[in-house]
Amino acid sequence: MYLQASDNVNMRGNKFSKFIKQVKQKALDTLPNSACKNPKDVEKYQKYTTILSHPAKNRLIMGATAIITQPTIDFLNHDVNKETREVSRNRTIAKIIVGTAVGFLVRGSCYEIVNYFTNIKSKNKIHHALLSEKFLKSLVQNENQLKIYRNCLSTFLAMLAMTFTNYYIDAPLTQLFANRLNKNVKTEASERGVV
Amino acid sequence: MGKLGASLLNFIAKSFMANPSGMLIVTTVFGWVTASTAQIISIARNPKYTNEQKNFLLPQELSDAAINIGAFFAITTASKKIALKMFQTGKLVPKIVSEYLNKNENLRKQVGKLDFNLDKYAKEDKLFPKNEYECCRDLFTTGVTVGAGILSSNVITPIIRNKMASNMQHTYINNKDIIEQELSKPAKLPLNKATSMKI
């Protein structure tokens, strides 16, 4: 029986995947076995998960942390001159504030729309318009699944909506806001008294 | 709802309901692609920036987009996978699950093995503390994904993108200076010789 070229490739592939698996196993072995506290209130844990993956709240968390770290990093970038540093910091501030506000509004609105059209308690058929037929049973039986479904669907819709808002709202507003902030930035020429 | 709409809803439910953190990653990456394209166009069209500022801000935005998407995808996906694997292999579980595993010698031996997956027991074994396991697993995985996202896009990306953008700006300024110096030099060759060489 002769070995074919494809067998050779398969053998190499198998060896490689075995090697990767070994590396992963070694990495996993370095972590200690540990047991965390039992959840006192399962519903509370589920609520926290829903908050973290809630499209609008997630955007707010990202924006709130970004406004603390990013402008500071930009302002401490001594590889560029003071003027560029200030312009860059101002643009970052404008981008974060506008992006977070628009993102929060769009994602929040999408969530409300999805909520309205996935109301399983209502008898009106229009309120079931956005429910997945295939998964209807699990959505009706498990409220947590329904919450996750709402989050996923509203994030997906927000993603489509933001394809337009990024161009027609975010970018022009960022430019306007950044230009306002940059009014106070002294150019090198003006500092030297040339302008 | 038309057929297309119904299949889209089924697709979303099927792909993301069991994996909410995966959904966060996919939508965030897509969002950044469109947002960065819009910002790049906006900077290029802004008449209030000087050429030198644009030559920092444009590469800064481009690097921001590339690094943000790459770092976010790499760091959050890796962190999410590690967090999930820790739960699935029983490395990190609530006490009640640990007690369940300790009761069965066979299961206890498999803890920490890459192929071991507690999700299977949560589905099949009625004695398994499913609710406690799943709520801790989901909160931990989603929390790690959000934390990794913050670290990658709000700390790592701005540091790297600034380095890249300032390098690009320095290269631009150096090249500009060299070109300007060359242009300001008086021609060394007589005019007729220079033109003949050009030809």
Side-chain angles (χ1 to χ4, degrees):
Chain A
M1 199 171 174
Y2 295 103
L3 274 175
Q4 291 188 347
S6 57
D7 295 332
N8 206 6
V9 171
N10 277 342
M11 276 162 70
R12 259 187 245 159
N14 284 342
K15 268 186 187 175
F16 184 70
S17 56
K18 260 186 187 175
F19 172 73
I20 293 292
K21 204 177 165 187
Q22 277 173 349
V23 172
K24 281 182 180 173
Q25 184 63 60
K26 286 270 176 213
L28 197 65
D29 290 343
T30 56
L31 300 168
N33 286 0
S34 46
C36 57
K37 271 185 189 172
N38 279 335
K40 278 181 191 166
D41 188 351
V42 171
E43 279 179 13
K44 223 178 190 176
Y45 274 54
Q46 287 172 343
K47 197 179 146 194
Y48 291 145
T49 311
T50 324
I51 290 172
L52 283 175
S53 53
H54 185 286
K57 286 170 190 165
N58 181 272
R59 187 70 189 85
L60 211 58
I61 295 169
M62 293 299 280
T65 46
I67 199 75
I68 300 166
T69 57
Q70 291 200 29
T72 317
I73 292 168
D74 279 350
F75 196 63
L76 294 175
N77 175 23
H78 289 284
D79 288 337
V80 289
N81 61 29
K82 195 181 168 217
E83 185 195 328
T84 308
R85 217 158 53 222
E86 285 182 359
V87 168
S88 153
R89 178 203 57 192
N90 291 345
R91 236 196 81 75
T92 302
I93 292 173
K95 201 172 88 174
I96 293 168
I97 292 174
V98 172
T100 307
V102 176
F104 180 75
L105 284 176
V106 172
R107 285 161 186 239
S109 314
C110 286
Y111 188 78
E112 289 307 316
I113 293 168
V114 169
N115 238 353
Y116 184 81
F117 289 110
T118 54
N119 186 355
I120 47 170
K121 284 172 189 164
S122 166
K123 282 178 184 168
N124 192 342
K125 265 196 168 181
I126 193 86
H127 288 149
H128 304 164
L130 291 179
L131 284 168
S132 158
E133 284 170 18
K134 245 187 184 177
F135 294 84
L136 195 60
K137 203 178 163 189
S138 72
L139 295 175
V140 173
Q141 283 172 351
N142 190 336
E143 207 185 326
N144 191 44
Q145 285 281 299
L146 181 64
K147 278 181 188 169
I148 295 172
Y149 175 72
R150 280 175 177 156
N151 278 350
C152 293
L153 188 58
S154 50
T155 310
F156 185 81
L157 288 180
M159 182 183 82
L160 296 181
M162 289 187 79
T163 311
F164 297 98
T165 58
N166 278 331
Y167 288 96
Y168 298 109
I169 302 174
D170 280 50
L173 267 183
T174 305
Q175 185 172 321
L176 197 79
F177 193 26
N179 286 346
R180 279 260 167 110
L181 292 173
N182 285 335
K183 267 187 182 175
N184 298 327
V185 177
K186 285 178 186 169
T187 59
E188 273 178 20
S190 70
E191 271 181 350
R192 273 185 265 126
V194 179
V195 179
Chain B
M1 260 285 135
K3 258 191 176 178
L4 189 71
S7 26
L8 182 69
L9 292 178
N10 290 336
F11 167 77
I12 293 168
K14 192 184 166 191
S15 318
F16 298 129
M17 243 163 60
N19 181 17
S21 42
M23 179 262 318
L24 276 182
I25 296 171
V26 171
T27 52
T28 310
V29 168
F30 183 83
W32 265 323
V33 172
T34 56
S36 303
T37 317
Q39 294 293 347
I40 288 164
I41 294 170
S42 151
I43 296 171
R45 283 182 178 170
N46 193 339
K48 296 206 172 175
Y49 292 132
T50 63
N51 270 350
E52 261 164 37
Q53 283 169 351
K54 275 187 188 177
N55 277 298
F56 176 74
L57 293 174
L58 276 173
Q60 188 193 37
E61 198 59 49
L62 274 168
S63 323
D64 187 68
I67 299 160
N68 220 340
I69 293 162
F72 184 86
F73 198 74
I75 295 171
T76 46
T77 311
S79 313
K80 195 201 107 188
K81 271 188 182 172
I82 294 168
L84 190 63
K85 214 61 192 164
M86 280 174 76
F87 262 86
Q88 286 174 337
T89 56
K91 274 268 169 187
L92 176 68
V93 281
K95 266 184 186 168
I96 193 166
V97 178
S98 176
E99 283 159 14
Y100 166 89
L101 291 170
N102 286 337
K103 276 178 198 166
N104 189 329
E105 184 67 22
N106 233 355
L107 286 180
R108 202 168 58 83
K109 276 182 183 170
Q110 288 187 66
V111 169
K113 297 261 165 68
L114 211 57
D115 297 327
F116 186 50
N117 192 345
L118 279 176
D119 287 5
K120 197 180 125 195
Y121 293 90
K123 261 187 195 169
E124 291 167 3
D125 190 355
K126 282 184 180 174
L127 291 173
F128 188 87
K130 189 184 173 196
N131 284 342
E132 286 83 354
Y133 167 74
E134 283 184 347
C135 78
C136 284
R137 180 200 65 192
D138 290 348
L139 181 61
F140 186 70
T141 322
T142 313
V144 166
T145 309
V146 172
I150 290 170
L151 182 76
S152 72
S153 45
N154 294 343
V155 181
I156 297 171
T157 302
I159 294 173
I160 302 175
R161 66 131 199 247
N162 280 353
K163 278 273 167 228
M164 281 175 73
S166 35
N167 282 342
M168 285 185 210
Q169 194 200 32
H170 286 313
T171 317
Y172 164 79
I173 291 170
N174 289 341
N175 287 346
K176 203 178 115 188
D177 287 347
I178 292 167
I179 291 167
E180 275 172 5
Q181 275 172 17
E182 287 298 317
L183 286 174
S184 62
K185 274 181 192 171
K188 281 176 186 173
L189 294 166
L191 196 66
N192 58 349
K193 211 173 180 183
T195 32
S196 66
M197 274 185 80
K198 258 186 196 172
I199 295 160

